[in-house]
Amino acid sequence: MSKHHATPAWVDPREQIVVGVLMANGRLAPREFRDRAEAEAWAQLDEQVVEWNLVCECDR
């Protein structure tokens, strides 16, 4: 019996956006967010929601 495995669709890495929260101490929040709305709901008044793509993660 032969099994057919679907090939995952190619995703342009320039469009893979990560959403995070820049906390008041200058560090990114140590958690992941599904989308910007979730990050905005989690962020405090003195924190900033930020977005970046996986191609240019300059912190590595």
Side-chain angles (χ1 to χ4, degrees):
M1 183 173 179
S2 174
K3 291 185 179 181
H4 176 71
H5 295 283
T7 303
W10 183 80
V11 177
D12 187 342
R14 296 171 294 182
E15 296 177 5
Q16 292 182 311
I17 304 299
V18 178
V19 179
V21 172
L22 185 61
M23 299 184 302
N25 65 4
R27 297 180 148 220
L28 288 172
R31 60 163 291 181
E32 295 181 9
F33 300 95
R34 284 188 308 263
D35 54 28
R36 185 174 185 89
E38 182 183 33
E40 288 173 348
W42 187 86
Q44 302 294 312
L45 291 176
D46 58 346
E47 297 173 338
Q48 179 181 0
V49 175
V50 294
E51 297 179 353
W52 66 94
N53 72 26
L54 297 176
V55 172
C56 185
E57 284 194 69
C58 301
D59 62 334
R60 291 188 177 183

